[in-house]
Amino acid sequence: MKELKEAILKDGYGMGDNVVKVDMFLNHKLDTALLLKMGKKLHKHFKNNKVDLILTIETSGIALALATAIAFDSVPVLFAKKHKEADLNDIESKGEDYCANVYSFTHHNRNVISVKKIYLPQGCNVLIVDDFLANGEACCGLLEIIKKAGANVCGIGIGVEKGFQPGGMELRARGYDVKSLAVIKSIDGGNLVLE
Ligand code: 5GP
């Protein structure tokens, strides 16, 4: 997506050789006009699917999920909550939540993510949306939750995919329709190289 690529090249930068910072428009300050356009682009790609719900993960996936939900005629957004240093079995044993373990690429820790069962009904058609795709851990956690709920996956919409990490390739190999609005090929001395 042209506008996103321009924003990445203008305001984004790399930290080390694998972290992309886009705080200026996606992860801290939010460029709302750009986000709404990104939501429309994801809608354009997935519009032939019947989408009942958009599922994302807190915190940074919520803005793009909301923009996408608006483009889908304001379907609801459900965001998985993160629980630091929690035990999946402790949360799941209460019977109210679907949970999965997710390793956080940015924080280098393992979190339990959860959604309340009542908000993710069986048979519901779910589009996953997230700001970044790196190793695919967050998406795999969300897919696990959707499976536990007996809901259906329409596809995976991503703002920025880091093409030099394996998440996108692995999810596509598993047969999921993954649409990324921009793909970063590499980080070269702090500069982002786009595909
Ligand atoms: P994955 O689970 O695919 O390894 O990583 C995706 C998640 O980690 C996203 O939810 C995103 O918030 C975060 N993330 C991964 N890599 C980056 C990055 O380079 N920059 C930013 N800002 N977030 C990232």
Side-chain angles (χ1 to χ4, degrees):
M1 177 190 167
K2 186 170 159 280
E3 296 92 332
L4 176 61
K5 287 181 180 171
E6 284 168 0
I8 290 171
L9 292 176
K10 180 168 168 279
D11 292 318
Y13 59 94
M15 262 174 51
D17 56 9
N18 60 13
V19 175
V20 173
K21 296 294 280 183
V22 286
D23 284 4
M24 183 69 183
F25 57 91
L26 191 60
N27 286 147
H28 191 23
K29 184 180 172 195
L30 299 176
D31 181 334
T32 52
L34 176 62
L35 275 158
L36 290 171
K37 282 184 192 159
M38 290 167 71
K40 280 188 184 156
K41 272 279 175 193
L42 290 180
H43 172 261
K44 192 173 172 198
H45 182 85
F46 291 108
K47 68 172 188 281
N48 294 329
N49 295 266
K50 182 183 177 297
V51 174
D52 301 317
L53 180 91
I54 300 208
L55 179 64
T56 189
I57 184 163
E58 68 176 359
T59 307
S60 53
I62 295 173
L64 181 58
L66 178 69
T68 309
I70 290 167
F72 271 96
D73 216 5
S74 299
V75 295
V77 171
L78 180 63
F79 62 89
K81 298 194 175 191
K82 286 181 190 161
H83 309 264
K84 256 193 224 156
E85 289 160 32
D87 187 321
L88 182 145
N89 295 323
D90 282 350
I91 302 177
E92 227 168 29
S93 65
K94 291 181 187 137
E96 293 177 358
D97 300 81
Y98 297 118
C99 299
N101 275 309
V102 167
Y103 183 79
S104 165
F105 178 80
T106 37
H107 296 105
H108 308 285
N109 62 355
R110 191 158 277 284
N111 291 309
V112 175
I113 62 166
S114 74
V115 304
K116 286 268 172 279
K117 289 183 179 176
I118 48 166
Y119 300 133
L120 188 54
Q122 190 180 6
C124 172
N125 300 307
V126 181
L127 177 64
I128 292 176
V129 169
D130 204 3
D131 60 336
F132 268 88
L133 176 59
N135 290 325
E137 283 269 339
C139 286
C140 286
L142 295 174
L143 286 166
E144 194 180 325
I145 282 176
I146 292 170
K147 192 173 171 202
K148 285 180 178 175
N152 309 311
V153 183
C154 304
I156 301 172
I158 298 292
V160 184
E161 176 176 343
K162 293 190 289 179
F164 54 87
Q165 288 179 260
M169 205 182 58
E170 288 172 7
L171 290 164
R172 289 182 184 99
R174 285 171 61 187
Y176 293 109
D177 181 5
V178 181
K179 172 66 182 171
S180 301
L181 299 176
V183 180
I184 293 177
K185 199 161 73 173
S186 60
I187 300 176
D188 181 11
N191 295 317
L192 302 174
V193 183
L194 291 172
E195 245 172 35

